[in-house]
Amino acid sequence: MEATGTDDVDKLKTKFISAWNNMKYSWVLKTKTYFSRNSPVLLLGKCYHFKYEDENELLPARSGCTIEDHVIAGNVEEFRKDFISRIWLTYREEFPQIEGSALTTDCGWGCTLRTGQMLLAQGLILHFLGRAWTWPDALNIENSDSESWTSNTVKKFTASFEASLSGERELKTPTISLKEKIERYSDDREMQNEIYHRKIISWFGDSPLALFGLHQLIAYGKKSGKKAGDWYGPAVVAHILRKAVEEARHPDLKGITIYVAQDCTVYSSDVIDKQCTSMASDNTNDKAVIILVPVRLGGERTNADYLDFVKGILSLEYCVGIIGGKPKQSYYFAGFQDDSLIYMDPHYCQSFVDVSIKDFPLETFHCPSPKKMSFRKMDPSCTIGFYCRNVQDFKRASEEITKMLKISSKEKYPLFTFVNGHSRDYDFTSTTTNEEDLFSEDEKKRIKRFSTEEFVLL
């Protein structure tokens, strides 16, 4: 009886803390992000210019970004549509309880897992939809004004806390059905793209069954000594994502894998081996690969000498972004303008969405406004991601990135390297695993070392 009472108190305490975090991390004023009309904007390899065309044409207030000197034109709308089309994964509240804990929200601790999800989601978009794809409804997302938004947050906190105490959850129904949306698409290709768009988002749902959802990622993290409520660094998340993709049992995911660099080294033969390993003996096609490279851009602070390299990486169309941030916060970096990085912020607590229903709403999975941050504020610890569709693409990418590394390294050692051969040829333990132990002893040692070096996340 005493144990039961203690459990109830712990659950009530957890729900109170969750409700408080829901307000704390949702209380973000929607400030405008300013972009210069004189400099190009790079977003995951796509270049946009904001130039004069019509002196009477102003950026719509709902866009969430403002061009300096009030006169803009060019392809601002194309940039907005491209940015909004990227999948946005944020803190969520009132999702199914995480096994082994009383947590029903990741507010305050799950931001790096969320930025890792966003990077993987971009890799899957490249794999299934291609870089040219944009969401047809992207420009229909509206930004709430600050006053109404913050007042709604207060109401949301009150309702959330009351629901937490009673164990109830508010149910929301989409305003437009999937059938109505699909009827608007002009051809079968657009309809097929929308199906994959929804499928990719559903894989990141906040439920135990979602392949790359928070619940699954935390389960894989337990193998490296992490648990729900812990802080996760970029390198740890890279290994968790690799395991999640390797263990995913879905026919659509048989053609893609993830490789994580070892000690800032990409062993080309190991990558190619992963690409040429097929689950079906009659399938001779190469697998696509997402290469994740955990790096440090300096010591305690980011070294400004690495700015050009980071810009170069984000200028590549096969770049899937950077899991990084600034001290105490993790962001998903997707582009830049001048010396500022463009990012999506996971520190916005949203309500749980049941992605198992056929016509679940998509709006909360797309960010309506970009944010910018000076490169100097970036924490040096991060993970860089690339997507290669086949072996030929990997060889081409490795050559291109190697040239970029040589130019950026000057007289210093490069951030990371591509090396011919296997890791075992350089006296590294082979990363063999079995079903009982998802992380090899060598991986556990590397992850533990990274965990002690990375920044603290709030």
Side-chain angles (χ1 to χ4, degrees):
M1 181 65 69
E2 183 178 350
T4 303
T6 303
D7 291 342
D8 290 340
V9 171
D10 289 341
K11 288 182 179 179
L12 183 62
K13 180 180 177 182
T14 300
K15 288 183 177 181
F16 177 80
I17 294 174
S18 296
W20 167 251
N21 278 327
N22 290 340
M23 184 190 75
K24 178 181 177 182
Y25 289 97
S26 291
W27 197 279
V28 181
L29 289 175
K30 297 238 173 175
T31 55
K32 290 182 178 179
T33 301
Y34 287 83
F35 288 86
S36 170
R37 60 177 173 79
N38 299 316
S39 304
V41 175
L42 272 293
L43 181 69
L44 295 170
K46 293 282 188 178
C47 183
Y48 295 92
H49 294 272
F50 305 149
K51 302 175 181 178
Y52 286 105
E53 282 187 6
D54 183 352
E55 293 186 359
N56 296 318
E57 185 176 356
L58 301 179
L59 189 68
R62 63 188 175 89
S63 67
C65 56
T66 302
I67 306 301
E68 294 174 358
D69 299 335
H70 77 269
V71 181
I72 61 93
N75 51 6
V76 175
E77 292 300 288
E78 286 84 351
F79 166 73
R80 287 189 58 233
K81 189 171 185 179
D82 191 6
F83 176 84
I84 294 172
S85 296
R86 301 314 108 201
I87 294 177
W88 184 37
L89 287 314
T90 71
Y91 288 155
R92 295 279 175 172
E93 62 175 326
E94 289 303 305
F95 51 63
Q97 188 170 309
I98 297 173
E99 184 179 359
S101 77
L103 294 170
T104 58
T105 179
D106 61 319
C107 283
W109 57 271
C111 56
T112 315
L113 290 171
R114 295 300 187 181
T115 54
Q117 286 179 319
M118 286 189 260
L119 181 145
L120 177 56
Q122 177 59 20
L124 295 175
I125 285 179
L126 290 184
H127 185 64
F128 292 106
L129 302 174
R131 182 62 188 89
W133 174 84
T134 55
W135 182 34
D137 290 333
L139 297 181
N140 295 330
I141 291 184
E142 298 281 349
N143 265 343
S144 301
D145 61 88
S146 298
E147 183 177 356
S148 63
W149 191 87
T150 51
S151 64
N152 285 337
T153 302
V154 176
K155 295 177 182 177
K156 180 180 175 182
F157 167 66
T158 304
S160 175
F161 181 60
E162 291 175 351
S164 295
L165 294 177
S166 63
E168 297 174 354
R169 178 180 299 146
E170 180 184 0
L171 296 178
K172 295 185 177 181
T173 56
T175 55
I176 303 176
S177 69
L178 176 60
K179 181 179 180 182
E180 290 174 312
K181 287 186 176 182
I182 287 181
E183 286 175 352
R184 297 209 303 265
Y185 300 141
S186 58
D187 55 36
D188 292 340
R189 178 64 179 272
E190 287 190 6
M191 187 180 299
Q192 187 66 27
N193 285 347
E194 178 61 13
I195 291 172
Y196 269 110
H197 175 209
R198 285 184 166 274
K199 184 180 292 187
I200 291 170
I201 290 177
S202 71
W203 288 335
F204 294 92
D206 293 304
S207 66
L209 296 179
L211 295 176
F212 310 126
L214 197 72
H215 296 69
Q216 285 284 5
L217 299 186
I218 290 168
Y220 291 123
K222 288 180 180 179
K223 303 295 182 179
S224 61
K226 294 290 185 179
K227 64 180 184 300
D230 285 349
W231 292 310
Y232 295 72
V236 174
V237 170
H239 285 275
I240 290 173
L241 293 177
R242 175 177 62 82
K243 284 300 174 186
V245 172
E246 288 178 351
E247 297 297 314
R249 298 294 180 260
H250 193 287
D252 287 339
L253 295 168
K254 289 182 178 180
I256 188 167
T257 187
I258 286 185
Y259 173 88
V260 180
Q262 302 180 36
D263 297 311
C264 299
T265 305
V266 177
Y267 294 93
S268 297
S269 295
D270 289 341
V271 176
I272 294 172
D273 284 352
K274 288 179 74 73
Q275 289 185 276
C276 294
T277 301
S278 176
M279 296 180 67
S281 58
D282 58 342
N283 186 359
T284 58
N285 295 330
D286 301 340
K287 279 188 177 183
V289 64
I290 296 174
I291 300 173
L292 301 180
V293 188
V295 296
R296 286 192 67 87
L297 304 176
E300 292 184 2
R301 295 183 179 181
T302 297
N303 190 330
D305 290 340
Y306 291 124
L307 173 58
D308 288 339
F309 174 74
V310 172
K311 286 183 176 181
I313 290 298
L314 293 172
S315 300
L316 302 172
E317 283 202 7
Y318 51 83
C319 174
V320 293
I322 299 174
I323 305 171
K326 60 184 181 181
K328 299 183 180 180
Q329 292 182 336
S330 181
Y331 298 143
Y332 170 63
F333 295 116
F336 68 90
Q337 184 182 46
D338 295 325
D339 292 347
S340 294
L341 298 172
I342 298 171
Y343 66 90
M344 287 197 286
D345 189 351
H347 301 87
Y348 173 37
C349 188
Q350 303 190 89
S351 299
F352 166 75
V353 173
D354 186 357
V355 298
S356 66
I357 62 175
K358 185 177 181 181
D359 53 353
F360 68 89
L362 297 172
E363 288 75 15
T364 62
F365 294 99
H366 291 278
C367 183
S369 59
K371 298 296 180 185
K372 288 174 68 178
M373 183 192 83
S374 171
F375 174 78
R376 292 180 179 84
K377 294 181 180 180
M378 183 180 180
D379 192 282
S381 183
C382 62
T383 290
I384 300 169
F386 311 98
Y387 169 83
C388 301
R389 187 168 293 277
N390 49 44
V391 172
Q392 184 178 359
D393 279 358
F394 166 68
K395 291 179 178 179
R396 187 185 305 115
S398 62
E399 292 176 2
E400 185 174 4
I401 296 171
T402 297
K403 291 178 182 177
M404 193 180 298
L405 285 163
K406 288 181 179 178
I407 294 172
S408 66
S409 63
K410 298 178 182 178
E411 296 180 0
K412 302 182 296 295
Y413 287 107
L415 274 176
F416 61 94
T417 58
F418 288 83
V419 175
N420 293 326
H422 298 86
S423 60
R424 62 176 178 267
D425 300 332
Y426 297 83
D427 297 325
F428 278 93
T429 304
S430 178
T431 56
T432 55
T433 60
N434 54 56
E435 292 182 0
E436 288 74 29
D437 188 9
L438 291 177
F439 289 91
S440 68
E441 290 303 316
D442 184 55
E443 289 173 323
K444 288 178 181 177
K445 291 177 182 178
R446 285 200 302 273
I447 291 174
K448 184 176 181 180
R449 182 174 67 254
F450 272 116
S451 298
T452 60
E453 294 174 354
E454 289 173 338
F455 51 85
V456 177
L457 304 177
L458 295 178

